[in-house]
């Protein structure tokens, strides 16, 4: 298929490479044009603007940071809307506001351009290996057009509801994760303070009711007080802000996610924003006075 | 082996049956003597007191509710200490205070009786199927004597450290679970309030970073606002009390577990103590005004 890909960050570049591997014809664009180079070297065409990238594309993938970035790329000057043909489908893999997503889709629909929201989880490792998990909102017909593209980048694609539902699902994912990281950190701090061999403890409990991806793959960071990426605290804080705003709009209460967002504010301010989210163990260790 | 088993609750009775199946010679005792009957019918001998049950036993298993119960069964009048032979090993599978465990072991040691703490997870289903997870504290020699007994009841036995370390590990397990249940409940409430098909949402996110036993096996209770057992809120509250007391003794801070314990106080007071812990979704749903 003819695919445009806008946003050559760590995630986007890896995903575009998987599209090329799967035999798609890929045109890429990034605000900082230099970041297009590695993917162009692998066979992608470069475009000077989102509009130019979108010209003639059947599917237009966006993978940028936040709500205003997606708005700019889609509707701004030289945005996708100026170049896309009627019948094309935009696949936004960014994590942004569900409400803004619905407004963007409505604006594109006026030009005959479809849109699905397809935020993802799985991190940079999932992007490289093509094992991302996509949570999709939108019309079934639009998803069907985009399916070969999503399948080249991910291992699991779940259609959860109408436009925006993918973003709400991603918000739920981030809200749940907030408590899982904090709770695992609290458990690790208790054991460290008690002087236990925490690797044995994790081995003992990981087969039971608190079995989780976070316990299995991130408790070790917390035990050793080192937090290599992973997924950045600053990005999770951004995602929680979106979740908390969306919750405010519909009248849902998220006390635990709100608390974790506040704790993350402190981490970011202290210069830990580029560490993995498991750095939530820092304040929990500090509360109990645990040294490295 | 000659095994005494004290405490014929739902868990204890199922565990004693597995000991009989594995060919051990089992003597049972329960405060309410009637509860000995089903296990006696399967081939166990009945004893009128803990002391009598312990006579001649190589391994003495205790499975009762709380710290004072274990103290009474081991050191009280007609307790295990009055009947056990030097060289016997007590295996306490109850969830109780780590500090009290160390004191009980010291008192037994004066009579030449060994003790390991072996709290478990896996619930009544694990007890029936013999797939419990044991977290063991104590001397290696004592664990080795008790190993055939533990192996007949569980699938995973991890030696985490000296006497009391099993109880601290169980406390860590319950502290982590507290946050996992609350966080999962918060995520489910957000999605219900947004009107999403929550079974699809769970399917979408369960393969990613918030994959967990709680999400996979308990979110459905939260979605449908029905909380069949499982593991009782009232018992988890008891376990959190032990964890919070133990944390207080060593100067560890557990803010999230403390908050969940407070929420569980409300649930128990309102008559939900016999529901599964996933009933933590009740107050989270209520905060967002979600109807059944």
């Amino acid at each position: 298929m003819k695919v445009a890909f806008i946003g050559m960050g760590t995630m986007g570049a890896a995903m575009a490479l998987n599209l090329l591997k799967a035999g798609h014809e890929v045109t890429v664009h990034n605000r900082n044009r230099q970041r297009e180079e590695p993917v162009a070297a692998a066979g992608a065409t470069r475009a000077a603007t989102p509009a130019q990238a979108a010209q003639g594309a059947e599917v237009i993938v966006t993978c940028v940071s936040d709500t205003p970035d997606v708005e700019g790329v889609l509707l701004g000057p030289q945005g996708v809307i100026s170049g896309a043909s009627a019948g094309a489908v935009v696949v936004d893999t960014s994590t942004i506001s569900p409400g803004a997503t619905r407004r963007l889709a409505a604006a594109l629909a006026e030009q005959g351009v479809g849109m699905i929201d397809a935020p993802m989880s799985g991190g940079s490792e999932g992007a490289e290996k093509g094992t991302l998990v996509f949570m999709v909102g939108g019309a079934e017909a639009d998803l069907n057009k985009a399916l070969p593209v999503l399948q080249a980048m991910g291992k699991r694609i779940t259609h959860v509801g109408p436009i925006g539902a993918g973003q709400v699902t991603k918000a739920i994912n981030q809200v749940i994760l907030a408590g899982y990281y904090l709770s695992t950190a609290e458990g690790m701090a208790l054991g460290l303070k008690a002087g236990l061999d925490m690797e044995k403890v994790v081995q003992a409990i990981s087969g039971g009711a608190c079995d989780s991806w976070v316990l299995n793959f991130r408790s070790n960071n917390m035990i050793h007080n080192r937090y290599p990426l992973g997924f950045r605290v600053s990005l999770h804080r951004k995602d929680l802000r979106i979740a908390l705003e969306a919750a405010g709009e519909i009248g849902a209460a998220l006390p635990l996610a709100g608390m974790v967002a506040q704790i993350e504010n402190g981490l970011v301010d202290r210069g830990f924003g580029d560490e993995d989210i498991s750095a939530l163990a820092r304040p929990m260790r500090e509360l109990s006075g645990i040294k490295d």
Side-chain angles (χ1 to χ4, degrees), chain A residues 34-191:
Chain A
Q34 242 181 341
R35 302 207 62 165
E36 297 164 4
E37 285 169 11
V39 185
T45 305
R46 298 173 69 174
T49 65
Q52 194 184 314
Q55 271 164 28
E58 298 160 87
V59 173
I60 300 145
V61 184
T62 51
C63 182
V64 296
S65 289
D66 205 347
T67 308
D69 306 302
V70 178
E71 285 168 342
V73 159
L74 293 182
L75 305 188
Q78 306 192 298
V80 164
I81 200 163
S82 315
S85 318
V89 175
V90 169
V91 177
D92 181 29
T93 64
S94 323
T95 295
I96 68 164
S97 152
T101 295
R102 284 186 287 268
R103 289 190 292 275
L104 289 166
L108 291 167
E110 286 177 17
Q111 312 277 325
V113 176
M115 178 173 171
I116 61 175
D117 50 318
M120 55 200 172
S121 76
S124 53
E125 196 184 321
E128 275 163 36
K129 293 188 178 163
T131 57
L132 292 167
V133 169
F134 290 101
M135 313 153 209
V136 179
E140 183 128 24
D142 290 330
L143 170 56
N144 286 341
K145 282 188 202 167
L147 208 51
V149 169
L150 289 169
Q151 283 166 338
M153 305 187 297
K155 69 167 177 183
R156 190 197 295 213
I157 297 125
T158 310
H159 188 199
V160 289
I163 187 76
Q167 295 296 353
V168 179
T169 301
K170 179 68 186 285
I172 293 166
N173 186 81
Q174 302 302 65
V175 160
I176 292 177
L177 267 189
Y180 283 14
Y181 276 98
L182 194 70
S183 183
T184 305
E186 186 162 290
M188 294 304 111
L190 172 58

